Amino acid sequence: MFHILSEHMILTGLIIAFLFLSIICQTISAVIYQNMIIQADNMSATENKLLKQCKQKYASYYKLNGKMINTSVFVDKFLQRIKIAGIYLSRLSHISGQLMMLSILIAGISICYLLAAGNTLFQIIPYYLISILGLYLYFSVSGMLDVQEKKNILKTNLMDYLENHYAPRLEIEKENALEEGIRKREVYAKELLQDEPDEQNEEKTDHAYLEEPQKAVPKGTDAEGLAELENLLEEFFA
């Protein structure tokens, strides 16, 4: 009965290949989400590139918008933009379902082809079995991995960290930066106030130095000297 599978290796191979690709897609999604869930428990020291990007983007939005950022929307957008090999991770589940349906479609085409070729229903039972077992395996793996549940857990963990741990830290850093800026401005203002009296004293000294020669020679000194010289000359020639 099962020799018909070996007689049509191409059809059989395609059915099995699409089935396993479907399961692999779900497994990849589940592994990535699970790894991020584990790393999210220690976000402050995480080495996960995706989570680091999440923190950096959140910090940038927080600095631009202050406390007006919607963390839930931000996390949803972040999860939707996660890519693996150029494919959005959120689409892998849909791709997995499409591959499973393609496997079932090829099995149905194979059955129709074999019936048209004159094979009996008993002879094509292996393709029915492959289809039924494939569906059972697909839904079993889906239930065990539960990709959507892992995604929800990851979202909850990220929101908890960003809202309850990271946002307060950013606010403290912002306040410290403001205090540091105010302190620096106060120090600079004090230095300016200290420099101004010194400049005023220097200006007064320069003015006094320039005025001294004028005070040293009283007005009318030259005229009195000439008058005394004329009197001495008149007495000499008299």
Side-chain angles (χ1 to χ4, degrees):
M1 179 177 65
F2 289 96
H3 70 278
I4 196 171
L5 297 177
S6 59
E7 291 178 357
H8 302 85
M9 289 296 296
I10 295 177
L11 294 175
T12 305
L14 288 175
I15 294 170
I16 296 174
F18 285 125
L19 172 62
F20 278 100
L21 285 174
S22 174
I23 295 172
I24 288 171
C25 288
Q26 289 199 52
T27 305
I28 291 172
S29 299
V31 169
I32 293 174
Y33 283 131
Q34 184 63 36
N35 181 52
M36 293 179 69
I37 290 171
I38 295 172
Q39 292 289 329
D41 293 335
N42 189 22
M43 281 281 287
S44 57
T46 183
E47 296 297 329
N48 189 286
K49 292 182 180 180
L50 293 172
L51 296 181
K52 284 184 177 180
Q53 292 176 2
C54 178
K55 291 171 59 177
Q56 292 173 356
K57 289 181 179 179
Y58 187 84
S60 300
Y61 290 150
Y62 191 90
K63 291 176 181 178
L64 289 173
N65 303 323
K67 297 180 180 179
M68 302 304 293
I69 185 170
N70 191 326
T71 306
S72 177
V73 175
F74 172 82
V75 173
D76 282 334
K77 289 183 177 180
F78 169 74
L79 294 177
Q80 291 174 1
R81 293 172 182 171
I82 296 176
K83 289 184 179 182
I84 180 71
I87 301 173
Y88 287 104
L89 193 61
S90 58
R91 293 181 181 177
L92 275 182
S93 297
H94 302 293
I95 293 173
S96 175
Q98 295 298 321
L99 290 172
M100 184 64 222
M101 293 304 297
L102 188 58
S103 175
I104 300 300
L105 177 62
I106 294 175
I109 293 173
S110 301
I111 291 171
C112 293
Y113 171 75
L114 293 174
L115 288 174
N119 291 278
T120 63
L121 184 62
F122 179 78
Q123 290 175 321
I124 62 174
I125 283 178
Y127 286 99
Y128 284 106
L129 294 176
I130 290 176
S131 300
I132 295 171
L133 292 175
L135 287 171
Y136 174 78
L137 182 62
Y138 173 81
F139 288 110
S140 298
V141 172
S142 299
M144 288 187 294
L145 296 178
D146 201 353
V147 175
Q148 186 60 42
E149 180 65 20
K150 286 181 171 58
K151 184 178 180 180
N152 292 334
I153 294 173
L154 178 60
K155 178 182 177 181
T156 302
N157 291 348
L158 289 176
M159 288 182 60
D160 175 63
Y161 174 78
L162 295 175
E163 286 186 343
N164 301 325
H165 299 278
Y166 199 51
R169 185 185 303 174
L170 292 173
E171 189 65 24
I172 292 172
E173 291 178 357
K174 181 180 179 181
E175 292 176 357
N176 292 337
L178 290 174
E179 291 177 358
E180 182 67 17
I182 293 171
R183 187 183 65 80
K184 289 182 178 180
R185 284 194 295 270
E186 290 177 350
V187 172
Y188 181 69
K190 289 179 180 178
E191 291 177 352
L192 287 177
L193 292 174
Q194 290 175 356
D195 292 340
E196 286 180 357
D198 295 338
E199 292 177 357
Q200 292 177 358
N201 292 332
E202 290 177 358
E203 290 177 358
K204 290 180 179 179
T205 303
D206 294 339
H207 287 301
Y209 177 77
L210 293 173
E211 290 175 356
E212 279 180 0
Q214 297 176 358
K215 292 180 180 178
V217 180
K219 293 181 180 179
T221 301
D222 295 337
E224 293 176 357
L226 291 173
E228 290 179 358
L229 180 59
E230 290 176 356
N231 292 330
L232 291 172
L233 289 171
E234 289 176 358
E235 290 177 359
F236 179 79
F237 287 108

